Amino acid sequence: MIYISRAVPGLGYQDLRDIMSKSEVNNSHVGLTGLLCFGNGLFLQILEGSRLAISQTYHRILQDPRHHSAEIIVFEPVLHREFVQWSMKLVQIDENSPEKMRRLYWKYSGEVDFAPQTMTPAQCLQFMLEIDPARSLAKV
Ligand code: FAD
């Protein structure tokens, strides 16, 4: 599953750390893997695992007051996982993005800033593959 949502105003680094530490523990218990991108006040998350584990986790995430206006981009069966290294990994997209990140926004969304709301499911996946620290730390 890939979805986007909007952070509440004032969401800070400690909130992101809290979300991540909870996600890593919970997700590893139910066999979920994925990536959580945050930037420009937006979350973009991919969750991989059993349909039941994803559904239950997503319903819990929806109740979280730290974000709102969630939109499912895609929820479909896949042949294999792409983010096997991470029970959840945060990639924080800095407002002062380096040029290479800007090129990725441009490449996948046609925008100069992080704008996952304009991306198709395939674009979201490719974008997250490119920023996955396990694959591309040296590139970005
Ligand atoms: P507890 O941590 O005990 O929380 C109980 C309730 O309090 C929950 O409703 C929780 O949302 C709320 N809560 C907890 N801390 C805070 C806080 N600091 N401020 C406001 N409310 C709070 N969880 C996962 O397990 N896996 C994920 O992949 C995942 N991704 C997330 C992505 C986003 C964008 C966000 C915003 C949250 C995500 N979470 C994820 C967190 C999730 O929303 C729940 O907070 C968490 O799963 C609840 O864990 P818990 O059942 O152990 O309850």
Side-chain angles (χ1 to χ4, degrees):
M1 167 186 271
I2 301 174
Y3 75 89
I4 58 170
S5 66
R6 295 181 184 280
V8 292
L11 191 94
Y13 184 64
Q14 189 55 48
D15 296 306
L16 294 172
R17 286 185 64 96
D18 291 346
I19 289 168
M20 283 317 297
S21 54
K22 187 62 76 173
S23 299
E24 284 166 4
V25 172
N26 289 349
N27 293 358
S28 62
H29 286 157
V30 295
L32 289 183
T33 51
L35 207 70
L36 176 64
C37 314
F38 177 70
N40 204 18
L42 297 161
F43 289 107
L44 168 67
Q45 187 172 31
I46 183 163
L47 291 162
E48 303 170 320
S50 74
R51 194 167 55 208
L52 178 63
I54 293 173
S55 300
Q56 289 176 338
T57 300
Y58 181 66
H59 286 303
R60 203 169 61 243
I61 291 171
L62 281 184
Q63 307 302 316
D64 197 312
R66 292 168 284 195
H67 69 157
H68 61 91
S69 308
E71 277 176 53
I72 294 174
I73 293 176
V74 65
F75 189 8
E76 66 181 12
V78 291
L79 283 177
H80 59 84
R81 295 173 192 248
E82 296 284 3
F83 301 94
V84 286
Q85 296 90 341
W86 314 117
S87 58
M88 191 48 59
K89 178 70 177 173
L90 176 69
V91 178
Q92 194 167 357
I93 294 171
D94 193 311
E95 283 174 2
N96 304 310
S97 305
E99 190 55 34
K100 283 182 182 173
M101 281 302 282
R102 293 206 177 278
R103 276 206 291 274
L104 287 184
Y105 305 151
W106 188 243
K107 179 176 173 182
Y108 289 111
S109 68
E111 305 282 338
V112 293
D113 292 315
F114 180 54
Q117 71 277 21
T118 67
M119 295 187 203
T120 66
Q123 288 171 329
C124 287
L125 177 60
Q126 286 304 313
F127 175 78
M128 286 189 277
L129 289 172
E130 290 218 34
I131 64 168
D132 177 4
R135 292 180 162 84
S136 62
L137 198 56
K139 281 200 291 173
V140 175

